[in-house]
Amino acid sequence: MPSTQRLTQRETTFNYEVVKRFELYNSLFQTLPFYQVKDTGILLPFFSSHCDKGAAKNSSPASIIESFFKKYVPDIDHREQINRLFRFIQYIERQVVLFDAIEDSSFGKVGRSDDSGTLQSLIQQASVSEQARTQISEQLKDFSLRLVLTAHPTQFYPGAVLGIMTDLIEALKTNDITNIDVLLQQLGKTPFFNKTSPTPVDEAVSLVWFLENIFYHALGGIQSKLEEEFELDGSHQVLELGFWPGGDRDGNPNVNTETTREVAFLLRQMIFRCYYRDFRVIKRRITFRGFADNMATIEKLLYENAFTVQDKPVDLQPEMLGLLKSMRETLVTSHDSLFVNIVDNLIQKVQLFGSYFATLDIRQDSRVLRDVFKYCTKKIYTGVPKDYHDQSEEAKIKSLPFNQADFKCPETEDAMTRDTLDTIRLMKQIQQSNGEKGCQRFIISNCQQATDILQLIDLFLWSGWEKDKLSVDFMPLFETVNDLKHASEVMEKLYIHPFYKTHLKRRGNKQTIMLGFSDSTKDGGYLMANWSIYQAKVELTAMARKYGIALAFFDGRGGPPARGGGKTHRFYASMGKEIANENIQLTIQGQTVSSQYGSVETARFNTEQLINAGITSALHPNHQDLLDNDHKALISEMADESHKLFLSLREDPLFVEYLERFSPLKLLSHINISSRPTKRNAGAKMKLEDLRAISFVTSWSQLKQSIPGFYGVGTALKKMKDKGSWKEIKDLYRSSGFFKTMVDNCMMSMSKSDFRVTAYLEKDAKFGEFWKGLRDEFELTKHLLLDLTDSKVLMEEFPVESRSIAIREKIVLPLVIIQHYALALLNKTNDEELIGIYNKLVIRTVYGIINAGRNLA
């Protein structure tokens, strides 16, 4: 079937299953009397249409809203107008949920344009010949995929709303009107935001919902299929889960040792509850003689660990597997394998999730760890020379002694020092209760030198850990463009270091390195960030292979392309032989959790795509991305040109002020979705270097300008065209999966931009020229990308995804207009009461805009 025909069918199905049904259920939704405000649902379509027409004329938000009220509701005062805007917001944010639910319920019918890249595709390849099956089976024995859930503050749906969405999706699959009507009423009465900020443990509880309701079933199903089709014996773990809430203390002053302890306990308790529910199915079916003792033992073990607090919990995975395998053997030998499949299912899950559910990663900034190391060298005898801190990096590496001690940090010391040393001790306790995989990774943020890792190892040895029992993986995180440039030099110093070399050998000669997209984008712009990470991966892979180290890259990807997101599986499928790709590890955060892993069906699809990408990349490296020197030179030149323009933008004295004045940047800290501040050095004046990447990208997405996702790309492409290299760039787009994915994701970012909303700024005395510079780069980039891809519109190759984005953008356009209107009012008043109201109005718009974008932050 031709590709164009297939796309046409998908578009037709999307129009019928998603667009038409949204129009139908939205009309029902707008007639429901949620709030005691007359005509809100009836007025909303007129308001949306008025915003659309106003934006098309480049009208200012103030003129759009003022003219609307003058035309449709002329008899109300300003405060009542604001009240109506709040009611519109409440409807619109629920419209977004409705569209999400309808789109997700249609997933199986609409499918995706990349349907070929799933597990079924691998099974079809294996069915062609026994040789193909053997090749895939062998590759799977060396391959692993780790999805790591993080607590970044862009998951705006509270647990109650997620529950309604889950039920709504099921009702929509069968068009159960009665149930849909009731659920929409429930949705209308359910709050969308917290009255107080969540604690780190609250954040963990929210994400555990996905572990329990989605990943437990999705990964279990994939594991079962893999074992059935490719004869995996369960000894090698293809699928792994990681967890950051409660362990990630980098910049979050509210995460402490007690938080980590509580979250580790929560993860352990929830996995036993999942097992207990599955075991009850086994108990209903296996009612034969000869099982009573085993059944009673398993039930007692699972119930006690699921519902009661254990004094000294221990890892029960070996005992559970022993009991279940014994039952399985009896079923096979004495009962014709009756119900063996449901026992196998639980065995597979216990092998997958153990007593820990997901590995709790610990993360801390290198600067904090250096301070703690300095503190310890002053407080206890460690064998570290007195002049150590004045030595060069090379001298420090040689003089570190790696002596063991059992230093317990006094309670009188500062909180950060106590937390670091107490958490190092706690990691050993978690391994005893949840299993070694329960907490075995320590990530060093802002890692810049080999001693950042070696000094941390010493902290472990001084906190009761033994050299030959140090069951911890130390992982550097390289983020900035400069750190990425020197990453391979840092790793070589570690690979040749006698102690670290011995430690790596005990850990199976496996090294994981984390690379951060978010900060590198904020630091160097879209093109430079992607190219710096690509180059770093090539250099780090070569260095690891030189010393016989099995390397795994852990990619810190956010939701949007500006933070490493977008069509993530395409990046992994396009890795050539120069980049280690046997182990895929990536963060899943914010809206990406609910949009890509919000149901068992979508979670299975997206997980299978990543598995397929890794296996295909390994099996067919010759068909993949192996950039030659000429191509690398082209991309490098474009990255440098883009970087120069992005740096000049960052250094513009109006840059931060523009963000503060026309985006909700300053108000993000007031949104009760996160336990951490929006910037480091919370009490200091706003500085770009202190601003968290997530706040940086979110602010631009609220402005509908998506600067981190495209800025500099147009200027870089223009340079190549002007110097006569356009044919080479077009060839590069057609031949390089890496470059094509980077360009396609850039176009996705641009599809979520709308400079009409801020067009009124062109005449602003102070910011007019600055705004025009942003708009001109957008138009230049759009023009050249369309030329490069031989397209008439952005995302022409992905019409269904493009239509989905367009509908979402149309739904939330009124929210964007309201936000800019409220920000303008804030700049004109000194009335404390009105300031509070306008602030709240801005904050309320943020939720819906982010949720509709699904990967905007």
Side-chain angles (χ1 to χ4, degrees):
M1 185 183 294
S3 174
T4 52
Q5 187 179 344
R6 185 172 69 247
L7 288 174
T8 303
Q9 287 179 349
R10 287 188 69 235
E11 287 177 87
T12 303
T13 306
F14 182 82
N15 286 336
Y16 180 77
E17 290 291 337
V18 179
V19 181
K20 295 295 183 189
R21 290 205 302 158
F22 175 67
E23 290 170 356
L24 172 67
Y25 289 120
N26 188 41
S27 61
L28 167 67
F29 182 63
Q30 288 179 343
T31 62
L32 295 174
F34 299 135
Y35 312 101
Q36 289 75 46
V37 179
K38 188 181 177 184
D39 299 335
T40 304
I42 297 168
L43 273 176
L44 182 57
F46 295 103
F47 182 62
S48 297
S49 175
H50 194 81
C51 288
D52 202 33
K53 290 173 184 173
K57 294 176 185 174
N58 291 340
S59 302
S60 72
S63 66
I64 291 172
I65 288 177
E66 286 165 7
S67 61
F68 169 78
F69 283 118
K70 186 176 180 181
K71 181 177 180 180
Y72 291 98
V73 200
D75 301 326
I76 60 175
D77 63 14
H78 179 66
R79 286 178 184 266
E80 180 55 27
Q81 289 176 357
I82 297 297
N83 188 37
R84 294 294 176 100
L85 294 178
F86 274 114
R87 299 311 178 196
F88 286 152
I89 292 168
Q90 289 174 313
Y91 266 97
I92 293 167
E93 62 192 6
R94 286 160 177 79
Q95 281 182 315
V96 172
V97 173
L98 178 61
F99 189 79
D100 280 352
I102 289 171
E103 198 168 42
D104 288 348
S105 73
S106 307
F107 186 87
K109 293 178 182 177
V110 177
R112 292 291 183 267
S113 58
D114 300 318
D115 278 346
S116 59
T118 60
L119 192 53
Q120 192 58 38
S121 173
L122 280 182
I123 293 168
Q124 287 169 355
Q125 289 177 47
S127 66
V128 173
S129 70
E130 201 54 43
Q131 182 186 1
R133 183 177 298 278
T134 302
Q135 283 181 326
I136 294 171
S137 297
E138 288 302 311
Q139 200 59 47
L140 281 166
K141 289 175 185 174
D142 296 323
F143 175 80
S144 68
L145 168 65
R146 180 185 292 258
L147 304 174
V148 182
L149 276 68
T150 76
H152 289 303
T154 58
Q155 177 44 264
F156 281 26
Y157 291 143
V161 174
L162 286 170
I164 296 169
M165 280 183 70
T166 302
D167 295 338
L168 190 56
I169 288 166
E170 291 306 309
L172 285 162
K173 283 179 180 177
T174 56
N175 288 313
D176 181 351
I177 298 287
T178 304
N179 202 15
I180 291 167
D181 183 49
V182 171
L183 289 166
L184 288 177
Q185 290 187 57
Q186 182 188 0
L187 185 67
K189 294 175 180 291
T190 302
F192 263 51
F193 57 95
N194 305 309
K195 288 190 175 179
T196 57
S197 294
T199 66
V201 176
D202 293 333
E203 290 172 334
V205 170
S206 295
L207 280 175
V208 166
W209 187 93
F210 288 94
L211 291 181
E212 180 186 6
N213 293 285
I214 308 296
F215 287 100
Y216 180 75
H217 304 289
L219 267 58
I222 295 171
Q223 181 68 25
S224 178
K225 198 72 175 170
L226 287 171
E227 290 188 21
E228 178 187 330
E229 293 290 339
F230 300 108
E231 299 176 2
L232 301 180
D233 58 7
S235 58
H236 169 63
Q237 201 165 331
V238 175
L239 299 161
E240 300 170 328
L241 285 174
F243 204 73
W244 274 21
D248 176 15
R249 57 246 305 129
D250 175 26
N252 188 341
N254 300 311
V255 173
N256 56 38
T257 310
E258 193 50 43
T259 308
T260 306
R261 192 190 314 276
E262 283 186 54
V263 173
F265 170 78
L266 171 69
L267 288 167
R268 188 181 191 279
Q269 187 177 52
M270 292 315 299
I271 191 58
F272 276 99
R273 288 187 184 178
C274 290
Y275 293 154
Y276 183 72
R277 281 196 291 269
D278 278 4
F279 176 75
R280 290 177 68 83
V281 177
I282 293 175
K283 190 180 177 183
R284 283 174 68 107
R285 293 289 166 265
I286 302 177
T287 51
F288 325 137
R289 292 184 185 277
F291 289 92
D293 289 345
N294 269 2
M295 296 284 269
T297 302
I298 294 174
E299 182 168 33
K300 184 171 185 285
L301 179 150
L302 293 177
Y303 185 87
E304 287 181 349
N305 286 275
F307 300 105
T308 61
V309 178
Q310 304 297 298
D311 286 339
K312 291 184 178 178
V314 295
D315 177 20
L316 295 171
Q317 185 187 40
E319 186 178 351
M320 285 188 288
L321 287 175
L323 290 164
L324 289 167
K325 286 178 178 178
S326 172
M327 284 175 58
R328 185 191 192 282
E329 190 177 341
T330 306
L331 286 174
V332 172
T333 56
S334 305
H335 298 281
D336 302 318
S337 297
L338 190 60
F339 300 130
V340 75
N341 60 315
I342 57 174
V343 177
D344 278 343
N345 183 265
L346 187 53
I347 288 172
Q348 286 158 356
K349 285 172 177 170
V350 173
Q351 286 173 331
L352 266 178
F353 306 116
S355 299
Y356 59 94
F357 215 156
T359 299
L360 183 58
D361 287 348
I362 307 298
R363 183 170 78 129
Q364 184 55 283
D365 190 279
S366 63
R367 289 161 290 196
V368 172
L369 297 173
R370 288 173 206 157
D371 288 343
V372 176
F373 179 83
K374 207 167 191 176
Y375 161 82
C376 287
T377 58
K378 291 176 182 175
K379 287 291 179 182
I380 57 172
Y381 174 72
T382 59
V384 175
K386 287 185 177 180
D387 65 344
Y388 173 85
H389 299 289
D390 299 320
Q391 294 178 2
S392 66
E393 170 73 357
E394 285 67 27
K396 285 179 179 177
I397 289 172
K398 289 177 182 174
S399 61
L400 281 169
F402 302 101
N403 293 326
Q404 291 179 186
D406 194 14
F407 174 66
K408 294 183 177 66
C409 186
E411 291 187 13
T412 52
E413 291 305 330
D414 69 272
M416 200 69 83
T417 302
R418 269 202 336 273
D419 174 66
T420 302
L421 295 173
D422 289 351
T423 300
I424 287 172
R425 284 184 172 275
L426 177 63
M427 286 179 71
K428 186 188 284 189
Q429 295 172 26
I430 294 172
Q431 288 194 6
Q432 289 165 355
S433 62
N434 295 16
E436 184 182 311
K437 289 182 179 178
C439 192
Q440 62 173 166
R441 299 165 23 127
F442 200 117
I443 301 160
I444 301 99
S445 297
N446 190 43
C447 187
Q448 296 177 323
Q449 50 207 26
T451 49
D452 285 333
I453 288 183
L454 297 174
Q455 289 173 178
L456 177 59
I457 292 175
D458 260 336
L459 291 181
F460 271 77
L461 297 179
W462 301 338
S463 300
W465 286 80
E466 298 172 34
K467 294 178 191 179
D468 56 350
K469 295 179 182 175
L470 190 53
S471 49
V472 176
D473 297 316
F474 299 96
M475 295 166 45
L477 167 51
F478 301 109
E479 294 180 271
T480 66
V481 171
N482 189 55
D483 290 347
L484 288 165
K485 211 173 276 183
H486 297 101
S488 63
E489 299 166 25
V490 170
M491 294 314 299
E492 182 168 34
K493 290 173 184 176
L494 290 168
Y495 294 150
I496 62 175
H497 188 276
F499 186 91
Y500 195 76
K501 192 175 176 182
T502 303
H503 173 71
L504 266 191
K505 195 171 181 182
R506 286 199 200 97
R507 304 299 294 162
N509 269 337
K510 294 177 181 176
Q511 174 68 54
T512 302
I513 296 172
M514 188 171 183
L515 303 173
F517 280 75
S518 299
D519 278 295
S520 52
T521 304
K522 191 186 81 160
D523 182 49
Y526 181 73
L527 262 183
M528 179 56 86
N530 279 279
W531 182 234
S532 295
I533 287 169
Y534 185 93
Q535 285 182 300
K537 282 189 171 185
V538 170
E539 292 165 8
L540 287 164
T541 300
M543 192 62 72
R545 287 172 180 168
K546 177 180 175 181
Y547 292 101
I549 305 298
L551 183 60
F553 288 115
F554 177 18
D555 292 320
R557 295 179 178 272
R563 295 182 54 239
K567 294 184 176 295
T568 308
H569 67 282
R570 285 176 169 267
F571 268 118
Y572 291 113
S574 68
M575 295 295 104
K577 290 185 289 186
E578 289 183 297
I579 293 177
N581 205 28
E582 293 83 11
N583 303 281
I584 293 176
Q585 301 185 23
L586 70 155
T587 53
I588 307 292
Q589 55 189 260
Q591 270 300 304
T592 310
V593 181
S594 58
S595 65
Q596 296 187 10
Y597 300 88
S599 70
V600 174
E601 188 177 16
T602 55
R604 278 197 67 157
F605 178 85
N606 285 295
T607 304
E608 287 179 14
Q609 278 203 316
L610 289 167
I611 295 171
N612 183 289
I615 298 299
T616 304
S617 173
L619 286 176
H620 310 294
N622 295 332
H623 303 159
Q624 299 302 319
D625 225 48
L626 192 58
L627 294 169
D628 61 29
N629 290 334
D630 291 341
H631 285 154
K632 287 178 180 176
L634 284 172
I635 299 177
S636 185
E637 190 174 350
M638 284 191 289
D640 287 340
E641 187 69 15
S642 172
H643 189 216
K644 275 191 283 187
L645 189 72
F646 188 78
L647 285 183
S648 68
L649 177 69
R650 277 180 43 136
E651 289 161 8
D652 191 303
L654 292 179
F655 185 76
V656 174
E657 189 181 349
Y658 178 84
L659 267 184
E660 284 188 299
R661 184 161 181 179
F662 299 112
S663 85
L665 175 61
K666 289 193 290 188
L667 298 175
L668 291 179
S669 60
H670 299 292
I671 300 176
N672 292 323
I673 55 163
S674 173
S675 68
R676 69 183 195 165
T678 56
K679 68 185 185 80
R680 296 172 175 88
N681 299 325
K685 184 185 174 185
M686 183 78 73
K687 289 191 296 183
L688 184 60
E689 54 268 31
D690 289 335
L691 190 62
R692 291 186 177 281
I694 196 164
S695 305
F696 179 71
V697 173
T698 300
S699 298
W700 285 112
S701 71
Q702 295 285 309
L703 268 166
K704 287 295 160 193
Q705 293 177 357
S706 302
I707 295 302
F710 77 84
Y711 195 81
V713 174
T715 294
L717 290 173
K718 185 176 185 299
K719 181 181 181 182
M720 306 314 288
K721 194 166 191 176
D722 290 347
K723 67 177 283 191
S725 300
W726 196 238
K727 182 181 180 298
E728 288 85 346
I729 297 297
K730 281 201 160 195
D731 289 342
L732 180 63
Y733 178 75
R734 284 192 291 268
S735 64
S736 165
F738 164 74
F739 186 67
K740 183 181 189 306
T741 303
M742 193 163 61
V743 167
D744 289 348
N745 280 343
C746 178
M747 288 195 287
M748 184 194 293
S749 277
M750 296 180 74
S751 296
K752 297 178 182 182
S753 299
D754 188 351
F755 275 80
R756 300 176 309 165
V757 176
T758 49
Y760 69 97
L761 290 175
E762 186 171 6
K763 297 173 184 174
D764 189 274
K766 184 173 185 179
F767 295 99
E769 287 302 314
F770 184 85
W771 180 88
K772 277 192 279 188
L774 302 179
R775 192 270 319 273
D776 290 348
E777 180 65 17
F778 177 86
E779 293 298 338
L780 176 66
T781 305
K782 180 179 176 181
H783 169 70
L784 290 173
L785 285 179
L786 293 178
D787 185 353
L788 173 65
T789 59
D790 295 321
S791 304
K792 293 184 176 65
V793 293
L794 294 172
M795 293 185 71
E796 188 175 291
E797 190 180 337
F798 307 100
V800 169
E801 288 80 356
S802 176
R803 185 83 195 279
S804 174
I805 290 171
I807 293 170
R808 290 171 177 280
E809 291 300 306
K810 188 171 183 178
I811 291 171
V812 297
L813 178 62
L815 294 185
V816 180
I817 301 289
I818 292 170
Q819 183 183 106
H820 283 271
Y821 173 60
L823 285 167
L825 291 174
L826 273 170
N827 292 327
K828 292 177 182 175
T829 184
N830 294 315
D831 185 313
E832 288 298 323
E833 184 185 358
L834 284 176
I835 287 172
I837 293 169
Y838 298 153
N839 278 343
K840 187 179 177 185
L841 194 60
V842 172
I843 289 166
R844 286 301 306 277
T845 61
V846 172
Y847 292 84
I849 296 169
I850 290 288
N851 285 335
R854 284 207 147 183
N855 70 346
L856 280 181

